[in-house]
Each structure stands twice: as C-alpha cells, then as structure tokens.
Amino acid sequence: MCGRFALFRWTPDFAALPGFPADQAPHWSVAPGAQVLLLRQHEGAQRIDRVRWGLTPAWLKDLARTPAHARAETVAEQPMFREAFQLRRGLVVANGFYEWRGSARKRPLWMSGESALMYFAALWEPYPVQGYTYLSTALITLPAADQRRPLILDEASTQDWLSAGTSGDQLAALLQTPQPQLRERRLATLVNDPRLDAPECLTPA
C-alpha cells in the first residue's frame, strides 16, 4: 500500500496555479493524516487546495476512520466513494512514493517516474465544521504484485479525470490506465522512521 510519498520539488507552472500555498514547504515524507496538495476543477478552472489525506464525507461520525485509499476495482460501487468518484475527482501531486518489500525483513525503495511530477488519481470530499468547509482526499490504488500502488495518470488522462463531462465508460477506462515504468532506488533504513521529514529519507542503501 502506498502509505507515504514525497513532494519536495515542483515546476513554476504548477506553482503558478490558483490556490498554490505561498508557504508551501518541501516534504520528503507525507503520510495519511497529513496536509497534501490537491489539483481539482473548480468553477470551470483548475486550482490547487491544501487538503487532509484521509477522506471525510460530511456524514462520517467517526473521524478516526477516514480512509486514505480507495481500490480502483470497487471505487465506483462502494457507498463511501461512489458519489465522490462521480462528482469530486482530483489529483494528488508528488515526486514519487515509498514502497517496502521483502519477506523476513522489508527494505524501503523510492519509486519515481520520468517526469518531475507524478499525478495520483484521487477523490475529494468537503467537510463543514462551524461555518468553515475543510477538504479531504483519498488516493485510488491498483494491485501491483503483492503491493498496492497509486493510480498514476499521464498529462492527457488528467484532463479527462478532472472534467465533469467525462462519461462513466471513460472513467472506467481511466481506472485501467496502463501504468508507467517506474524507477526504483533502494534506500537506507532512515526512511523507516515516520518522524523523519528531510532529504535524508532518500539516502541510498
């Protein structure tokens, strides 16, 4: 499962989008419960919002049970996700994500792509609290051997994913988007410490 990713570098074009936080800091270790950047369609234009990683529908009473992930195989039918899948789709932006592999002892790897930014398919929900509306998100994941990885969309697919006019059949096809070949880098175990949020997370093994 993609439980941690990083966003420590972004392009000038991305930073120029409406809503990009002026105080955005680089992060090398982002986990569920943290604030992440979400690209979404709002009033006919794309914008960025800082949102909580952990989906929080307005009807949810137990805020300890906010899912960070939604399975691509069932996202269109599950009551927790189906309305957001139809109406509130977004993209969580990252430079790459971490994966742990092994049987007796799991070792960390850094997974990245060819482009500077990766776009993870996501859903979002508003959550009103005392007159203010917070936003939250969950990543859509795909099976990858014995792991689950975020559904990564290329630039062309991101437009269809965000568009309100995309049909159900088109969305179903996007959930089966062929995934890019990823680069793998074995890492030292420093990244195993979830409190570490620094360039040392990417120390090679």
Side-chain angles (χ1 to χ4, degrees):
M1 182 67 70
C2 173
R4 284 160 68 192
F5 67 84
L7 178 63
F8 47 82
R9 184 188 307 120
W10 43 84
T11 64
D13 287 346
F14 183 69
L17 288 171
F20 186 88
D23 61 348
Q24 179 65 26
H27 291 286
W28 286 265
S29 180
V30 181
Q35 298 292 305
V36 301
L37 296 187
L38 178 80
L39 178 63
R40 65 184 181 118
Q41 198 83 6
H42 179 67
E43 296 181 350
Q46 291 185 7
R47 65 166 287 118
I48 295 171
D49 291 282
R50 190 178 273 162
V51 308
R52 182 182 184 274
W53 184 9
L55 199 69
T56 311
W59 48 262
L60 190 67
K61 301 303 181 186
D62 185 356
L63 298 187
R65 299 174 64 86
T66 54
H69 305 98
R71 291 176 174 254
E73 304 94 309
T74 56
V75 67
E77 292 84 28
Q78 281 197 339
M80 174 70 81
F81 305 119
R82 64 189 176 199
E83 184 180 293
F85 175 65
Q86 294 169 358
L87 304 176
R88 294 180 290 278
R89 297 180 299 278
L91 298 160
V92 170
V93 184
N95 299 123
F97 61 95
Y98 299 101
E99 200 167 83
W100 280 262
R101 289 194 219 141
S103 50
R105 184 182 181 190
K106 293 187 180 296
R107 304 290 301 191
L109 295 99
W110 171 244
M111 314 295 294
S112 59
E114 296 291 334
S115 301
L117 294 177
M118 302 174 80
Y119 295 90
F120 301 156
L123 313 171
W124 63 271
E125 285 279 8
Y127 189 81
V129 179
Q130 297 180 349
Y132 184 83
T133 300
Y134 296 87
L135 300 182
S136 63
T137 191
L139 303 185
I140 295 181
T141 64
L142 295 170
D146 60 345
Q147 304 274 340
R148 293 196 70 86
R149 290 178 178 172
L151 171 59
I152 301 168
L153 299 178
D154 60 23
E155 189 171 349
S157 298
T158 60
Q159 304 307 310
D160 290 334
W161 181 256
L162 294 178
S163 173
T166 302
S167 70
D169 287 344
Q170 288 173 305
L171 289 174
L174 287 171
L175 292 175
Q176 301 179 49
T177 299
Q179 293 300 276
Q181 186 70 36
L182 298 177
R183 299 171 176 170
E184 300 182 3
R185 183 200 303 172
R186 292 178 61 86
L187 299 178
T189 56
L190 292 169
V191 71
N192 290 353
D193 182 354
R195 297 167 298 180
L196 181 65
D197 183 14
E200 288 77 14
C201 287
L202 295 178
T203 301

